[in-house]
Amino acid sequence: MSSAKIHASESTTSASVIRDNDVARGLPSSSSSEFPQMNENILPPSYYDRYFSDTAKRCLPNPIRKLLGVSRLPGMLSMFSGHPASETFPFRGVTLTVARPDTADRDRSSLVELDSALLEEALQYTDTGGIPTFVDWLYGLQERYHKRRHGDGEGWSLSVGCGGQDLLFKAFTCLLDEDDPILVEAPVYAGVVPIFRLLKCNTTEVATDADGIVADDLERILQNWPKDRPMPKLLYTVPYGCNPSGASATLERRLKVLKLAREYNFLIFEDDPYFYLYYGKSPRSPSYFQLEKEIPGSIGHVLRFDSFSKILSSGIRMGFVSGPTAITNAINLITSSSMLQPSGLTQAVTYTLLNHWGYEGYQQHVDYISSVYRRKRDLFVAAMQKHLTGLAEWSVPEAGLFVWFRLFLPPVPASAEGDSEDLIVRRALKEKVLALPGASFFANGRTSAYVRACFSVLAEEDFDEAMRRLAAVVKEVQFEAGYHSAGSRL
């Protein structure tokens, strides 16, 4: 198909994107009879035409990347690409020293060497959406943890990126034009707020509490949506150990959110970097990605974002997005124009480690991680109880790295609950204790008495002193305003 059709006609955007990317990977066209029979509940590629932004429609396939798959066919004498000669690369091998995945043998290491063929592939230009062997391993991961099997006519695929943030930015860019309405949790991950402002979209906040997103508030918003405004394109949510609130959405609320997504035709951006950092006592609820397959109804509303930043290394910058093929292919087009592909060497290192461990070893590793953060959470909350009781209130998280707490502060003109901004940014900083004020986590800008504290990096022996210093600052502010520790005037 001619690439000109991608931006010439909105009605052909999704189909064009899919076919162009299939050719780029050396796959048959999506209209080919070689594809599995699609489940009748799977939303068709044309469904997503209404969602794509003008940027996505104007984005043309990279003419070289379109032919990468074809160039690998047996017997092909390829002269089309500008690949450098592999024999000029100075790298001869890579050996990793990695920890054993299980807790009992954690202090023991193994030497793992990158496969020579994989290293050769990783050092060259490779597929936009990820090195195929790595992608296949990730498909297996999604089948194991979310019961979603690729290639069985489920209409989804995945794409590798340079961390979740990279993929979020590209996904928002693919779907949002100026003034497009979207739904966001309040509070929300601060890292997406600049993206919303850059794209000039309109955000409507949905309330959250200790049990995650308040689905009843979401329903109220949708039922009362102004008739003269287009309906929201998507809901952005962090369902486990939310940054900043630490909340994990209950199954009951997830089911209602999915029901509303199907009823009101919005997409669910499931940003889930803390999925594997769950340490609650109750069984972990299924992801939205899993639920939309298991709960009868249309399938294709969920775009799921996974990251290795909290599991392997934040500096490794590896993540992947899973969801409707039309959207992941549109993300690949953005990647092919911006950075061509995520780092091949980083993918190869990540894959080699994961493949060495296997899925069972991976589970042992995330079990170990969860146990570490459970211990840190317990010690941190104990320090809060010792020093902040009567000065603040909070809920105890069951996943992630954060505690979100409201300080008992005197009211200010913008909020009867007070404002933590000055206390944290100026006064606490002067006492050499650092956290983030709640105002940083509201898309629409809001004064807040809340504070986000991260317990992952601070040394455990410093938890008590950090809380003591913060408590002293809160008491000072309360005293100056004539308030006692319960937050009422003396």
Side-chain angles (χ1 to χ4, degrees):
M1 170 165 293
S2 170
S3 60
K5 292 185 179 180
I6 286 185
H7 73 156
S9 171
E10 179 175 350
S11 65
T12 62
T13 300
S14 297
S16 301
V17 169
I18 289 174
R19 285 193 285 272
D20 285 326
N21 279 272
D22 287 340
V23 171
R25 291 195 63 196
L27 298 175
S29 164
S30 57
S31 61
S32 167
S33 60
E34 295 180 50
F35 274 84
Q37 183 66 36
M38 295 290 285
N39 184 322
E40 62 180 10
N41 290 326
I42 303 294
L43 295 171
S46 59
Y47 173 83
Y48 303 97
D49 292 345
R50 73 189 79 179
Y51 295 99
F52 284 117
S53 65
D54 289 339
T55 299
K57 295 168 188 173
R58 291 194 303 267
C59 192
L60 300 176
N62 183 309
I64 297 175
R65 306 231 122 221
K66 285 176 61 177
L67 296 174
L68 279 177
V70 178
S71 71
R72 301 187 186 117
L73 295 176
M76 182 65 66
L77 302 178
S78 175
M79 299 178 290
F80 87 100
S81 73
H83 287 48
S86 297
E87 62 265 27
T88 66
F89 299 158
F91 305 97
R92 294 293 179 261
V94 175
T95 301
L96 308 174
T97 304
V98 300
R100 300 285 180 90
D102 56 306
T103 303
D105 292 328
R106 198 71 191 181
D107 58 345
R108 299 175 61 189
S109 300
S110 300
L111 293 179
V112 184
E113 187 172 355
L114 264 68
D115 177 78
S116 58
L118 176 63
L119 179 60
E120 181 179 359
E121 181 179 14
L123 293 174
Q124 246 325 339
Y125 294 119
T126 187
D127 293 51
T128 302
I131 293 176
T133 50
F134 183 36
V135 170
D136 287 343
W137 199 94
L138 297 176
Y139 279 132
L141 192 72
Q142 300 303 69
E143 182 176 356
R144 179 184 177 97
Y145 288 97
H146 306 287
K147 309 299 188 291
R148 297 295 299 269
R149 186 173 181 181
H150 181 253
D152 275 2
E154 291 190 17
W156 70 279
S157 58
L158 66 79
S159 179
V160 177
C162 297
Q165 188 77 16
D166 171 54
L167 293 164
L168 282 168
F169 180 83
K170 292 170 181 174
F172 284 126
T173 300
C174 285
L175 298 177
L176 297 178
D177 288 313
E178 185 173 347
D179 294 327
D180 276 349
I182 64 170
L183 303 161
V184 300
E185 293 177 321
V188 68
Y189 165 50
V192 298
V193 175
I195 301 176
F196 299 152
R197 292 179 180 172
L198 179 66
L199 298 177
K200 298 181 180 180
C201 56
N202 292 322
T203 56
T204 296
E205 295 182 333
V206 182
T208 63
D209 60 21
D211 291 325
I213 186 169
V214 180
D216 288 345
D217 187 52
L218 175 61
E219 183 176 43
R220 177 192 61 79
I221 291 170
L222 293 168
Q223 289 176 342
N224 294 282
W225 196 263
K227 300 296 184 184
D228 59 345
R229 290 183 61 199
M231 295 298 291
K233 280 187 172 182
L234 61 90
L235 164 69
Y236 173 78
T237 180
V238 182
Y240 271 108
C242 180
N243 179 0
S245 69
S248 297
T250 63
L251 177 58
E252 179 183 6
R253 292 189 178 183
R254 292 169 191 251
L255 291 173
K256 186 165 186 176
V257 169
L258 177 60
K259 177 178 178 293
L260 292 170
R262 288 167 166 171
E263 180 179 353
Y264 289 94
N265 292 306
F266 61 83
L267 303 175
I268 299 173
F269 271 38
E270 182 178 30
D271 186 12
D272 214 359
Y274 309 104
F275 175 81
Y276 295 105
L277 275 63
Y278 178 74
Y279 39 76
K281 295 180 180 179
S282 302
R284 182 173 54 194
S285 297
S287 65
Y288 286 109
F289 192 51
Q290 178 177 340
L291 288 173
E292 76 161 348
K293 171 71 181 305
E294 295 182 346
I295 304 302
S298 55
I299 302 173
H301 293 279
V302 179
L303 196 65
R304 176 178 174 80
F305 298 85
D306 283 278
S307 171
F308 289 115
S309 293
K310 312 303 186 296
I311 303 169
L312 300 180
S313 160
S314 54
I316 206 168
R317 306 312 305 142
M318 271 288 108
F320 58 102
V321 58
S322 308
T325 300
I327 299 179
T328 56
N329 280 343
I331 291 171
N332 285 344
L333 284 181
I334 298 290
T335 297
S336 70
S337 295
S338 62
M339 54 186 292
L340 299 183
Q341 64 181 66
S343 166
L345 187 56
T346 304
Q347 290 182 75
V349 167
T350 305
Y351 167 74
T352 298
L353 170 62
L354 296 174
N355 191 54
H356 171 69
W357 280 347
Y359 296 117
E360 292 297 334
Y362 179 81
Q363 180 61 54
Q364 291 177 340
H365 175 66
V366 296
D367 286 344
Y368 164 73
I369 294 173
S370 295
S371 69
V372 169
Y373 288 121
R374 183 188 304 112
R375 184 190 71 245
K376 288 178 175 288
R377 185 274 314 265
D378 290 344
L379 293 172
F380 194 81
V381 170
M384 292 181 70
Q385 290 171 338
K386 178 180 177 181
H387 294 285
L388 292 182
T389 297
L391 301 176
E393 62 180 1
W394 60 87
S395 296
V396 178
E398 294 188 326
L401 315 175
F402 309 104
V403 178
W404 177 248
F405 54 100
R406 183 175 74 87
L407 299 176
F408 296 147
L409 298 175
V412 295
S415 172
E417 292 187 343
D419 184 5
S420 65
E421 183 83 17
D422 179 72
L423 185 150
I424 294 297
V425 173
R426 185 174 65 86
R427 293 177 181 249
L429 188 61
K430 185 178 178 180
E431 298 301 319
K432 293 188 176 180
V433 59
L434 188 61
L436 275 176
S440 306
F441 300 97
F442 293 95
N444 293 343
R446 177 192 307 186
T447 300
S448 173
Y450 280 86
V451 175
R452 190 204 76 176
C454 180
F455 52 78
S456 59
V457 176
L458 182 66
E460 294 172 6
E461 58 267 27
D462 291 330
F463 287 176
D464 187 80
E465 177 61 16
M467 291 299 103
R468 187 198 66 78
R469 294 182 188 183
L470 182 59
V473 175
V474 176
K475 290 176 183 177
E476 179 183 333
V477 170
Q478 289 182 345
F479 178 79
E480 291 175 358
Y483 276 69
H484 63 56
S485 61
S488 57
R489 186 173 293 279
L490 289 168

